[in-house]
């Protein structure tokens, strides 16, 4: 996604060939866990229109019971809504570096700075999308508001409950993601259903659950400690722009400042709220 984003370097930049920028964006897409499940198709429109884009959304159409075939069919309520996706959240960072020449000549140091900037960008965006999804889920899809006990014996049943809710909302199979904190995945690995099976031993050995109850399971630290989040592809709309990337050398100090700034916005449109399910849990 980020290779489409514009970035700027000030005239006083000393780092040659934009090495730091290239190192930052080179592996960024591989870092994301939650963002690949968001819909980013409006990003180009936002670049053209400014900081927002209007999108039409359509209501769910349903048949109702009729009486006789030749009776007049009453009109259904049908109203096209206009949703607006706005980039309104700004993130900035200013990294002071004492010896810019070292960064210019030492690729390892460039990589270290780039890794930290890249990781934080990934972290901020993944968390932003997760928070938007959790807030945007339909009320009926927010399960266990009083918090259900999650332990090694109940973990799978709680996930099945989320899968059933998605089935009831006619969310298609095949592209359902389940985002769990490390402790939740640990409890799932300890579930007795894995006992005595080769697949279970493999899950416990490599730590990867893979797929379960129709979900692709992903480990993340960017959801709340007590919320399991499930959603299908593109249920959250997201867009981001890298506003600027600059290296500046103050006139009164032997140091340089690496500055980065990006803005983002996310929203759950209309019926998409029914394609997201959350479950609040507690631990013993």
């Amino acid at each position: 996604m980020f290779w489409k984003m514009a970035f700027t370097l000030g005239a006083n930049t000393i780092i040659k060939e934009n090495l730091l920028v290239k190192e930052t964006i080179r592996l960024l897409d591989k870092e994301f866990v939650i963002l690949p499940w968001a819909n980013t198709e409006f990003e180009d429109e936002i670049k053209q229109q400014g900081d927002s884009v209007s999108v039409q959304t359509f209501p769910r159409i349903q048949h109702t019971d009729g009486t006789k075939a030749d009776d007049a069919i009453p009109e259904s309520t049908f109203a096209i809504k206009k949703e607006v996706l706005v980039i309104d959240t700004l993130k900035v960072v200013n990294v002071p570096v004492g010896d810019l020449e070292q960064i210019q000549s030492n690729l390892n140091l460039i990589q270290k700075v780039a890794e930290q900037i890249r990781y934080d960008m990934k972290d901020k965006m993944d968390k932003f999308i997760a928070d938007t999804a959790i807030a945007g889920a339909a009320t009926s899809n927010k399960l266990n508001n009083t918090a259900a006990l999650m332990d090694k014996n109940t973990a799978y049943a709680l996930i099945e409950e989320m899968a059933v809710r998605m089935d009831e909302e006619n969310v298609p199979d095949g592209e359902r993601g389940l985002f769990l904190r490390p402790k939740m995945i640990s409890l799932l690995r300890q579930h007795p259903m894995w006992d005595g099976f080769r697949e279970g031993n493999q899950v416990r050995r490599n730590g990867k659950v893979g797929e379960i109850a129709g979900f692709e399971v992903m480990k993340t630290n960017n959801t709340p400690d007590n919320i399991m989040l499930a959603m299908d592809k593109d249920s959250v709309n997201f867009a981001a722009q890298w506003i600027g990337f600059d290296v500046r050398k103050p006139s009164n100090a032997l140091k340089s400042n690496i500055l980065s700034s990006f803005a983002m916005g996310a929203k759950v449109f209309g019926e998409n709220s029914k394609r997201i399910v959350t479950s609040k849990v507690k631990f013993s």
Side-chain angles (χ1 to χ4, degrees), residues 234-255:
D234 298 340
S235 54
V236 178
N237 295 277
F238 176 79
Q241 292 185 20
W242 199 344
I243 295 173
F245 201 105
D246 199 2
V247 178
R248 299 182 180 180
K249 199 168 185 67
S251 60
N252 60 348
L254 294 175
K255 67 175 183 178

Side-chain angles (χ1 to χ4, degrees), residues 21-92:
V21 175
K22 290 180 180 180
E23 281 299 305
T24 301
I25 66 176
R26 185 170 63 91
L27 298 174
L28 184 58
D29 276 354
K30 296 181 180 180
E31 301 277 359
F32 292 118
V33 175
I34 302 175
L35 188 145
W37 291 78
N39 177 22
T40 60
E41 67 178 16
F42 302 117
E43 211 156 65
D44 289 334
E45 293 182 49
I46 286 181
K47 287 178 188 174
Q48 296 171 9
Q49 298 182 28
D51 63 355
S52 66
V53 62
S54 296
V55 181
Q56 288 184 329
T57 61
F58 295 86
R60 183 180 295 183
I61 300 174
Q62 295 177 313
H63 287 79
T64 58
D65 293 334
T67 51
K68 294 188 299 183
D70 57 352
D71 281 352
I73 300 175
E75 291 184 351
S76 302
T77 301
F78 182 79
I80 299 174
K81 296 181 179 179
K82 185 170 73 172
E83 300 274 6
V84 179
L85 177 61
V86 181
I87 291 185
D88 56 1
T89 299
L90 180 67
K91 299 294 182 182
V92 297

Side-chain angles (χ1 to χ4, degrees), residues 85 130 172 178 201 219 224 235 270:
L85 177 61
L178 179 64
N201 290 332
K219 179 170 59 178
S235 54

Side-chain angles (χ1 to χ4, degrees), residues 65-128:
D65 293 334
T67 51
K68 294 188 299 183
D70 57 352
D71 281 352
I73 300 175
E75 291 184 351
S76 302
T77 301
F78 182 79
I80 299 174
K81 296 181 179 179
K82 185 170 73 172
E83 300 274 6
V84 179
L85 177 61
V86 181
I87 291 185
D88 56 1
T89 299
L90 180 67
K91 299 294 182 182
V92 297
V93 66
N94 182 344
V95 183
V97 178
D99 188 351
L100 187 58
E101 287 71 27
Q102 271 192 322
I103 297 180
Q104 185 175 332
S105 61
N106 187 332
L107 183 60
N108 289 334
L109 188 52
I110 292 176
Q111 289 176 332
K112 292 297 183 183
V113 175
E115 284 172 8
Q116 291 299 315
I117 293 174
R118 184 175 69 239
Y119 179 81
D120 191 62
M121 292 173 79
K122 179 273 298 183
D123 225 28
K124 294 288 191 297
M125 292 186 187
D126 269 2
K127 185 177 186 305
F128 189 72

Side-chain angles (χ1 to χ4, degrees), residues 139-240:
T139 301
S140 58
N141 285 7
K142 296 180 178 181
L143 309 180
N144 304 313
N145 287 325
T146 57
L149 176 65
M150 185 176 192
D151 58 24
K152 67 179 184 179
N153 296 309
T154 63
Y156 181 72
L158 291 171
I159 292 170
E160 275 288 354
E161 184 182 27
M162 299 175 77
V164 170
R165 189 70 199 117
M166 282 200 147
D167 290 338
E168 292 171 345
E169 292 290 1
N170 297 314
V171 177
D173 294 324
E175 290 192 327
R176 299 180 181 183
L178 179 64
F179 304 92
L180 302 179
R181 300 280 294 194
K183 182 174 183 177
M184 297 170 179
I185 288 185
S186 175
L187 291 172
L188 189 56
R189 286 197 300 263
Q190 297 175 56
H191 194 279
M193 68 179 173
W194 303 116
D195 294 347
F197 292 95
R198 183 179 63 184
E199 294 82 359
N201 290 332
Q202 184 176 356
V203 165
R204 288 170 173 169
R205 186 170 62 250
N206 63 29
K208 297 178 181 178
V209 175
E211 296 183 354
I212 194 168
F215 293 112
E216 183 179 346
V217 180
M218 280 152 290
K219 179 170 59 178
T220 179
N221 286 313
N222 288 314
T223 52
D225 292 338
N226 63 340
I227 296 289
M228 294 193 291
L229 169 64
M231 60 184 181
D232 77 335
K233 283 273 189 178
D234 298 340
S235 54
V236 178
N237 295 277
F238 176 79

